[in-house]
Amino acid sequence: MKENTAAINEILRIFGDKPRTAYVRSFGCQLNVSDGEKIKGLLHELGYTFTDSENEADLIILNTCAVRESAEDRVFGIVGSMKKLKEQRPSLMIGVAGCMTAQSHIAEKIKRSYPQVDFVLGTSAISALPELMLECLRGARFSADISEYDDFSEETIQIRESTFKASVPIMFGCNNFCTYCIVPYVRGRERSRRMADIVAEVEGLVRNGYKEIMLLGQNVNSYGNDLGGDVSFPKLLRSLNEIEGDFWIRFMSSHPKDASRELIDAIFECDKVAKHLHLPVQSGSDDVLRRMNRRYTVEKYLETVGYIRSRDPEFSLTTDLIVGFPNETDEDFAATLDLIKKVRYDNIYSFIYSKRSGTKAADMEDNTSDEVKSRRMRELLETQRSVSTEWYKRFIGRKMRVLVDGEAKKRKGCLTGKSSEFIIVEFEGDNSLIGQFVEVEIIETMNWAVAGRLTKEN
Ligand code: SAM
Ligand code: SF4
Ligand code: F3S
């Protein structure tokens, strides 16, 4: 971590009592959202309050994602539109943080083509934020810090987005180098947090009333590999399960090549661990999996699923899928549809392959047209829709424990929440139940959700 006390004190001195407001927007995965919460924690130390409107802010920070080209284009669009804001209010400070900036060609492009941006902050340099802001306050045209020294300042207090659901990163980076993926290049190698720090953080969150703890890592199954000693992800789960209180533990993501029986046993044996596993398969074709460098076969994946379902035939699984990986054939794609039907996922997160410069797949030949990729995507979603419509019927008549998230968007007077199985559940209820556990008896299924009647308030 970078020593930043002097910069913090100097900024506090410069601003004095002057009120200051920041707009921090995070894109991408939950790890990035968690980084956004750390950025907010630092800004809180600097005396900032927060707004949801960029027009009211003296400081704007965009915490970006680089996983697909569309995500980057969106950020460039937003940064472009901020030129006007800066012209109207030259004292406005604009910073770009997150995974995009960890690519030097992007940091260069921002410096060259977007003069409205004051500073660029890399994913491993969050603690350098006060220094960059200070340089800016002292008149620098542009500052950047994309070095690697800080993953998690255990001291930084995060300003969390929710009062009942908390994300807790347990490790950073990724060693897997799937050939399509930019993450290892923008997040560096795997580094695990100390188990004692994680346990202490979760204890504190539970004491403060948090009901759901989401443990985050690009591959939580390799947690502890870099720490040495008797540390592993299943052991971490078992330790967290010992913490007293009424709360759920979830985690994301779990690489299928490392999803061991020990992990699955821990899920079944720990009462606080939610009964759901996100197991990203990416493709149902062995040839595509090999070219993706995923290091498992469909057979091995199905063996893992088989073990889970031997313990609970109705266990809930979700996955990530990529459509249109370079030269994916009709047969490859048909194998993916087959796998979806075989596994019977409750939900899938599917993406059309996006070429990321610097990755191995970016150099692979790709003769599949965009039109074919879009058609395959539609077919994939349609197949999953019919799988979940049928598969969700197993919940009818069941009483499910649900953590209430908020008001349902489409059904007036209804609340929405998620069950332990990670199923969206809607039911009629009072807003006072938001953030609480309730019990709902399931009456009907809808697309991507189930609905029922409130039977017990906790
Ligand atoms: N570490 C997680 C894992 O291996 O399951 C995945 C993290 S990644 C941020 C989330 C998902 O984005 C991946 O599972 C993959 O489906 C998708 N993804 C990553 N790179 C992609 C690319 N270049 N094009 C399309 N989808 C991509
Ligand atoms: Fe990307 Fe693969 Fe690492 Fe997941 S495991 S972050 S898909 S390289
Ligand atoms: Fe996450 Fe996007 Fe970075 S998915 S790790 S924010 S590239």
Side-chain angles (χ1 to χ4, degrees):
M1 188 200 154
K2 192 162 189 169
E3 185 50 63
N4 56 19
T5 323
I8 292 177
N9 288 337
E10 183 56 12
I11 292 178
L12 290 171
R13 194 192 62 75
I14 293 173
F15 279 133
D17 290 340
K18 196 170 152 233
R20 41 211 184 263
T21 311
Y23 168 80
V24 180
R25 181 164 174 195
S26 293
F27 301 81
C29 66
Q30 294 184 55
L31 260 169
N32 223 35
V33 173
S34 173
D35 279 354
E37 294 178 341
K38 283 184 224 161
I39 290 175
K40 279 186 156 181
L42 265 178
L43 293 177
H44 175 73
E45 269 188 66
L46 293 172
Y48 279 86
T49 55
F50 300 99
T51 172
D52 288 333
S53 157
E54 49 201 54
N55 295 316
E56 287 170 8
D58 317 301
L59 167 67
I60 294 175
I61 296 186
L62 299 175
N63 187 27
T64 62
C65 168
V67 79
R68 280 169 288 277
E69 198 179 359
S70 54
E72 293 192 344
D73 289 347
R74 195 161 150 225
V75 167
F76 279 125
I78 295 171
V79 176
S81 72
M82 283 179 175
K83 195 169 176 196
K84 256 212 185 102
L85 281 182
K86 186 84 172 189
E87 278 164 8
Q88 287 158 0
R89 286 186 290 132
S91 67
L92 171 68
M93 241 190 273
I94 300 178
V96 182
C99 293
M100 272 172 76
T101 61
Q103 304 165 91
S104 49
H105 69 278
I106 298 270
E108 270 306 310
K109 180 173 167 179
I110 293 173
K111 183 178 177 186
R112 202 178 50 243
S113 312
Y114 297 88
Q116 61 271 42
V117 174
D118 296 288
F119 63 87
V120 155
L121 182 67
T123 50
S124 298
I126 291 176
S127 59
L129 175 63
E131 261 182 24
L132 293 181
M133 288 174 59
L134 189 59
E135 282 178 30
C136 178
L137 287 169
R138 287 175 171 159
R141 140 72 191 102
F142 181 83
S143 353
D145 193 333
I146 52 172
S147 34
E148 276 189 35
Y149 40 74
D150 151 282
D151 284 311
F152 193 85
S153 149
E154 297 289 345
E155 289 83 37
T156 304
I157 306 218
Q158 286 161 266
I159 303 286
R160 295 186 179 274
E161 303 291 335
S162 163
T163 53
F164 55 94
K165 287 166 116 173
S167 295
V168 175
I170 61 166
M171 59 193 297
F172 305 94
C174 182
N175 289 355
N176 290 312
F177 289 94
C178 303
T179 54
Y180 51 81
C181 186
I182 194 76
V183 172
Y185 302 91
V186 294
R187 290 269 171 184
R189 296 296 68 71
E190 282 174 6
R191 285 95 62 202
S192 304
R193 282 177 72 197
R194 289 189 324 138
M195 195 150 134
D197 289 330
I198 299 168
V199 172
E201 185 179 354
V202 175
E203 279 171 345
L205 289 164
V206 173
R207 245 192 334 269
N208 286 322
Y210 279 85
K211 300 278 194 308
E212 181 181 297
I213 307 297
M214 172 68 88
L215 308 175
L216 297 177
Q218 294 301 349
N219 175 17
V220 291
N221 297 331
S222 47
Y223 170 75
N225 285 356
D226 56 323
L227 292 179
D230 195 23
V231 184
S232 70
F233 185 59
K235 289 201 173 92
L236 175 66
L237 281 181
R238 287 183 193 275
S239 299
L240 296 174
N241 197 57
E242 300 280 297
I243 297 174
E244 264 183 48
D246 188 13
F247 68 100
W248 280 341
I249 303 165
R250 295 193 189 277
F251 58 87
M252 200 171 264
S253 281
S254 176
H255 197 301
K257 77 176 165 59
D258 303 317
S260 62
R261 291 199 169 199
E262 202 191 343
L263 167 75
I264 295 160
D265 293 342
I267 297 173
F268 281 102
E269 287 157 25
C270 295
D271 60 323
K272 290 174 179 130
V273 175
K275 301 301 173 254
H276 157 245
L277 183 62
H278 183 64
L279 204 54
V281 69
Q282 312 298 356
S283 168
S285 150
D286 279 343
D287 186 49
V288 173
L289 288 175
R290 188 184 48 75
R291 292 191 296 117
M292 285 178 163
N293 189 32
R294 289 292 286 180
R295 287 178 279 169
Y296 52 84
T297 57
V298 173
E299 189 186 350
K300 161 86 177 32
Y301 185 90
L302 286 175
E303 227 176 82
T304 306
V305 171
Y307 180 61
I308 297 169
R309 293 267 169 79
S310 72
R311 299 200 58 160
D312 176 359
E314 298 189 338
F315 193 86
S316 178
L317 292 167
T318 54
T319 202
D320 288 352
L321 287 160
I322 294 179
V323 172
F325 186 75
N327 276 353
E328 179 192 57
T329 63
D330 282 341
E331 292 72 39
D332 293 326
F333 178 64
T336 298
L337 296 184
D338 255 11
L339 183 74
I340 289 182
K341 289 183 218 154
K342 243 185 225 147
V343 175
R344 292 199 285 185
Y345 293 105
D346 277 305
N347 205 349
I348 60 167
Y349 302 87
S350 46
F351 312 96
I352 292 190
Y353 167 74
S354 170
K355 187 173 174 168
R356 305 284 59 214
S357 87
T359 62
K360 282 220 169 114
D363 297 328
M364 292 181 190
E365 194 188 10
D366 187 8
N367 292 313
T368 320
S369 69
D370 288 350
E371 203 186 331
V372 168
K373 291 180 185 180
S374 302
R375 179 176 51 72
R376 285 183 187 160
M377 183 58 138
R378 285 195 300 276
E379 217 176 309
L380 183 78
L381 292 174
E382 198 40 56
T383 304
Q384 176 57 31
R385 202 158 68 99
S386 64
V387 167
S388 25
T389 307
E390 200 42 44
W391 193 213
Y392 278 9
K393 287 185 185 155
R394 73 194 190 283
F395 297 121
I396 292 180
R398 234 197 247 185
K399 286 184 174 158
M400 292 175 104
R401 192 156 200 239
V402 174
L403 179 59
V404 186
D405 281 324
E407 292 177 28
K409 284 211 176 87
K410 289 191 185 142
R411 297 167 21 127
K412 233 180 151 220
C414 279
L415 297 174
T416 181
K418 285 217 182 66
S419 72
S420 167
E421 299 82 0
F422 211 58
I423 302 293
I424 299 173
V425 180
E426 295 192 354
F427 58 97
E428 272 181 34
D430 188 82
N431 278 6
S432 61
L433 296 174
I434 295 171
Q436 304 294 322
F437 283 118
V438 296
E439 188 188 81
V440 178
E441 184 179 349
I442 307 307
I443 295 168
E444 58 175 329
T445 64
M446 306 178 294
N447 286 339
W448 315 111
V450 298
R453 186 180 60 232
L454 186 65
T455 44
K456 199 157 92 192
E457 297 179 14
N458 235 7

